Structure formats: C-alpha cells, structure tokens
Amino acid sequence: MQSSKTSLRRQLRQARKSLTGYRRDRQQQRIRRFLTAIPQVRHARRIAAYMPFDGEPDLFPFMRRVESKIWLPMIRSDLHLDFRPAFTLNTKAQRPINARRNRFGILESQRLPILRSAQMDVILMPLVGFDRRGNRLGMGAGFYDRSLVGLRRPRPTLIGIAFDCQEMAQVPADPWDVPLDYIVTNRGIIKTNR
Ligand SMILES: Nc1nc2c(c(=O)[nH]1)N(C=O)[C@@H](CNc1ccc(C(=O)N[C@@H](CCC(=O)O)C(=O)O)cc1)CN2
Ligand SMILES: Nc1ncnc2c1ncn2[C@@H]1O[C@H](COP(=O)(O)OP(=O)(O)OP(=O)(O)O)[C@@H](O)[C@H]1O
C-alpha cells in the first residue's frame, strides 16, 4: 500500500508542479472563485488555509481578502498540526514579521493563540491526489490525518484544493483517512456526501 502511494505521489506532485504560466494562473483563479461560492466558506469565522509550496494552488488573493479569518498550520513536535492566526499576508518584507520557516521551508506563523483543528470552521487542504468520493492523497507525512482523528460533530468543513489533473479513479484509502466534504478544482466544486 505505502509503495503504491509513494509512486502515485511522485507522479501527481510532478503534474502539479508542471502546470505553469497562463494555464496555472487561469486555473488558480477558477479555484478561488469556486471556493468563495461554498456557503460554509462564506459564513466561516475561522478558515485554515496554507502557504503554497511544491506547486500547490495559490489561494493568496482570496486569503488577503479575508485575512482576519485566516489561520495557518504549524507542525507540532508530536507531528500533529495546530493552527495560528496568519501573519500579515500583504508584507513585502524579505522575512515577514511574525513568521518563520519550518523544516520544509514553509512559512509558519508565530502569532497566538494556538488552536486545534476542531476549532476551525473550515479546513482547506492542499491535495496531491483525490477521487470523487472524497478520499485524499497528501504529502505522506500524515500531518493532516493525525490532526483530523476524533473530530466530533459539528466538525469543521473539510475542503480539498487541487488542480483537475490530480484526479484519480480511486485513491487507495487507509483506515485512518478522514474523507473530505468538498473538493474544489478549476473545473468546479465536488460535493462528496460524506
Ligand atoms: N502548503 C502546505 N503547508 C503544509 C502542508 C502542506 O501539504 N502544504 N502540510 C501537510 O502535511 C504540512 C507540511 N507537510 C509536509 C510533508 C512533507 C513534505 C516533504 O517535502 N517531504 C519530502 C521529504 C522532505 C524531508 O524529509 O526533508 C518528500 O516527501 O519529498 C513537506 C511538507 C504543514 N504545512
Ligand atoms: N491517525 C494516525 N495515527 C498515527 N499515524 C498516522 C495516522 N494517520 C496517518 N498516520 C501515519 O502517517 C503516514 C502517512 O499517511 P497517509 O499515507 O495516509 O498520508 P497522506 O494521505 O499523504 O495524508 P497527509 O496529508 O495527512 O500526509 C502513515 O504511514 C501513517 O503511519
């Protein structure tokens, strides 16, 4: 199972990174437009987003518009994710105030308070791969998976963000995987009935 996931990840990360220029811009724009049409996103007080890396869809224009609602993941020493209020997103400084790079080079916020995933209204998760049933392939470190274990209703709305080239017929699902409620791609919104 892990080895088949590993080669899938490599292929799909390559596909995600290969999308460039005007095509990338246009697809990202569509993703942001669809995202803002989801009622739970419009009504959310706290939205967990992400600082794009490895060719992930860039949500920045959206994040800036609702900056005070945006929370960013931090990797805890026990390999769970918690969330901190976003640092100032419109900064032009080389090193944004209140931000620091984690071990992967992704900017993490240093602001307080620190909240758990259960306290987010919406969690936007960048996907490496997905299927239409809401199964998700991530970076393979299990950070999101671990942080989503044991969420009780009403739980945050889980929304995967991907380019349509990352769709697969079926993601090999593991028992600990928590399915997504929505997947937003440049083609539209997929509601998964989970
Ligand atoms: N933008 C963004 N932020 C995020 C995540 C994400 O997927 N995207 N995460 C969601 O989990 C966490 C970071 N997870 C990551 C997991 C693996 C690798 C990664 O590049 N792994 C390399 C091995 C690198 C190494 O060990 O030094 C690899 O697999 O090639 C990076 C980030 C928290 N922040
Ligand atoms: N709830 C959990 N408790 C303990 N370990 C977990 C849990 N969830 C995942 N893991 C570990 O994390 C590793 C990666 O999981 P998986 O292959 O499902 O990652 P993924 O689909 O890429 O998701 P993620 O985005 O969370 O990394 C697994 O090998 C597993 O050992």
Coordinates of all heavy atoms in Angstrom, one line a residue, residues 1-16 54 128-129 136-142 145 168 174:
M1 N 0.8 -1.2 0.0 CA 0.0 0.0 0.0 C 0.9 1.3 0.0 O 0.7 2.1 -0.9 CB -0.9 0.0 1.2 CG -1.8 1.2 1.3 SD -3.2 1.3 0.1 CE -4.4 0.4 1.0
Q2 N 1.8 1.3 0.9 CA 2.6 2.5 1.0 C 3.5 2.7 -0.2 O 3.6 3.9 -0.7 CB 3.5 2.5 2.3 CG 2.8 3.0 3.5 CD 2.0 4.2 3.4 OE1 2.4 5.2 2.8 NE2 0.7 4.2 3.8
S3 N 4.0 1.6 -0.8 CA 4.8 1.8 -2.0 C 4.0 2.3 -3.2 O 4.5 3.1 -4.0 CB 5.6 0.5 -2.3 OG 4.7 -0.5 -2.8
S4 N 2.7 1.8 -3.3 CA 1.9 2.2 -4.5 C 1.6 3.7 -4.3 O 1.5 4.5 -5.2 CB 0.7 1.4 -4.6 OG -0.2 1.6 -3.6
K5 N 1.3 4.1 -3.0 CA 1.1 5.5 -2.7 C 2.3 6.4 -3.0 O 2.2 7.5 -3.5 CB 0.7 5.7 -1.3 CG -0.8 5.4 -0.9 CD -1.1 6.0 0.4 CE -2.6 5.9 0.7 NZ -2.9 6.6 2.0
T6 N 3.5 5.8 -2.8 CA 4.7 6.6 -3.0 C 4.9 7.0 -4.4 O 5.2 8.1 -4.8 CB 5.9 5.9 -2.4 OG1 5.7 5.6 -1.0 CG2 7.2 6.6 -2.6
S7 N 4.7 6.0 -5.3 CA 4.9 6.3 -6.7 C 3.8 7.2 -7.3 O 4.0 8.0 -8.1 CB 5.1 5.0 -7.6 OG 3.9 4.4 -7.7
L8 N 2.6 7.0 -6.8 CA 1.5 7.9 -7.2 C 1.8 9.3 -6.8 O 1.6 10.3 -7.6 CB 0.2 7.5 -6.5 CG -0.7 6.4 -7.1 CD1 -1.8 6.0 -6.2 CD2 -1.3 6.9 -8.4
R9 N 2.3 9.5 -5.6 CA 2.6 10.8 -5.1 C 3.6 11.5 -6.0 O 3.5 12.7 -6.3 CB 3.2 10.7 -3.7 CG 2.2 11.0 -2.6 CD 2.9 11.1 -1.3 NE 1.8 10.8 -0.3 CZ 1.7 9.6 0.3 NH1 2.6 8.7 0.1 NH2 0.7 9.4 1.1
R10 N 4.6 10.7 -6.3 CA 5.7 11.3 -7.2 C 5.1 11.8 -8.5 O 5.4 12.9 -8.9 CB 6.8 10.3 -7.4 CG 8.1 10.8 -7.9 CD 9.2 9.8 -8.1 NE 9.3 8.9 -6.9 CZ 9.2 7.6 -6.9 NH1 8.9 6.9 -8.1 NH2 9.4 6.9 -5.8
Q11 N 4.3 11.0 -9.1 CA 3.7 11.4 -10.4 C 2.8 12.6 -10.3 O 2.9 13.5 -11.1 CB 2.8 10.3 -10.9 CG 3.5 9.1 -11.5 CD 2.5 7.9 -11.8 OE1 1.4 8.2 -12.2 NE2 2.9 6.7 -11.5
L12 N 2.0 12.6 -9.2 CA 1.0 13.7 -9.1 C 1.6 15.0 -8.7 O 1.2 16.0 -9.1 CB -0.1 13.2 -8.2 CG -1.0 12.1 -8.7 CD1 -1.9 11.5 -7.6 CD2 -2.0 12.7 -9.8
R13 N 2.7 14.9 -7.8 CA 3.4 16.1 -7.4 C 4.1 16.7 -8.7 O 4.1 17.9 -8.8 CB 4.4 15.8 -6.4 CG 3.8 15.7 -5.0 CD 4.8 15.3 -3.9 NE 5.8 16.3 -3.7 CZ 6.7 16.2 -2.7 NH1 6.8 15.2 -1.9 NH2 7.6 17.2 -2.6
Q14 N 4.6 15.8 -9.5 CA 5.2 16.3 -10.8 C 4.2 17.0 -11.7 O 4.4 18.1 -12.2 CB 5.9 15.1 -11.5 CG 6.8 15.5 -12.6 CD 7.8 16.6 -12.2 OE1 8.5 16.4 -11.1 NE2 7.9 17.7 -12.9
A15 N 3.0 16.4 -11.8 CA 1.9 17.0 -12.6 C 1.6 18.4 -12.0 O 1.4 19.3 -12.8 CB 0.7 16.1 -12.6
R16 N 1.4 18.5 -10.7 CA 1.1 19.7 -10.0 C 2.1 20.8 -10.3 O 1.8 22.0 -10.6 CB 0.9 19.4 -8.5 CG 0.4 20.6 -7.7 CD 0.0 20.1 -6.3 NE 1.2 19.8 -5.5 CZ 1.1 19.5 -4.2 NH1 0.0 19.4 -3.6 NH2 2.2 19.3 -3.5
D54 N 5.6 23.6 -3.5 CA 5.6 22.4 -4.3 C 4.5 22.5 -5.4 O 4.0 21.5 -5.8 CB 5.4 21.2 -3.4 CG 5.8 19.9 -4.1 OD1 6.9 19.8 -4.6 OD2 4.9 19.0 -4.1
V128 N -2.5 16.2 -3.0 CA -1.6 15.7 -4.0 C -2.4 14.9 -5.0 O -2.2 15.0 -6.2 CB -0.5 14.8 -3.4 CG1 0.4 14.1 -4.4 CG2 0.4 15.7 -2.5
G129 N -3.4 14.1 -4.5 CA -4.3 13.4 -5.4 C -5.7 13.3 -4.7 O -5.8 13.5 -3.5
R136 N -8.4 11.2 -0.1 CA -7.3 12.2 -0.3 C -6.0 11.6 -0.2 O -5.7 10.7 0.6 CB -7.5 13.2 0.9 CG -6.6 14.4 1.0 CD -6.9 15.2 2.2 NE -6.5 14.5 3.5 CZ -5.2 14.5 3.9 NH1 -4.3 15.3 3.4 NH2 -4.9 13.9 5.0
L137 N -5.1 12.1 -1.1 CA -3.7 11.7 -1.0 C -2.9 13.0 -0.7 O -3.0 13.9 -1.5 CB -3.2 11.1 -2.4 CG -1.9 10.4 -2.4 CD1 -1.9 9.1 -1.6 CD2 -1.5 10.1 -3.9
G138 N -2.2 13.0 0.4 CA -1.4 14.1 0.8 C 0.0 13.9 0.6 O 0.5 13.1 -0.2
M139 N 0.8 14.7 1.4 CA 2.3 14.6 1.2 C 2.9 13.3 1.8 O 4.0 13.1 1.6 CB 2.9 15.8 1.9 CG 2.6 17.1 1.1 SD 3.3 17.2 -0.5 CE 5.1 17.4 -0.2
G140 N 2.1 12.6 2.6 CA 2.6 11.3 3.0 C 3.2 11.3 4.4 O 3.7 10.3 4.9
A141 N 3.2 12.5 5.1 CA 3.7 12.5 6.4 C 2.7 12.3 7.5 O 2.9 12.1 8.7 CB 4.4 13.8 6.7
G142 N 1.4 12.3 7.1 CA 0.3 12.0 8.0 C -0.1 13.2 8.9 O -0.8 13.0 9.8
D145 N -3.9 13.9 8.5 CA -4.6 12.7 9.0 C -4.6 12.7 10.5 O -5.6 12.5 11.2 CB -3.9 11.4 8.5 CG -4.3 11.1 7.1 OD1 -5.4 11.5 6.6 OD2 -3.4 10.5 6.4
M168 N -7.9 11.1 -9.6 CA -7.7 9.7 -10.0 C -8.9 8.9 -9.7 O -9.8 9.4 -9.0 CB -6.5 9.1 -9.2 CG -6.3 9.7 -7.8 SD -4.7 9.5 -7.1 CE -4.7 7.7 -6.8
D174 N -6.6 4.3 3.4 CA -6.2 3.6 4.6 C -7.2 3.8 5.7 O -8.0 4.8 5.6 CB -4.8 4.2 5.1 CG -3.7 3.7 4.2 OD1 -3.5 2.4 4.1 OD2 -2.9 4.5 3.7

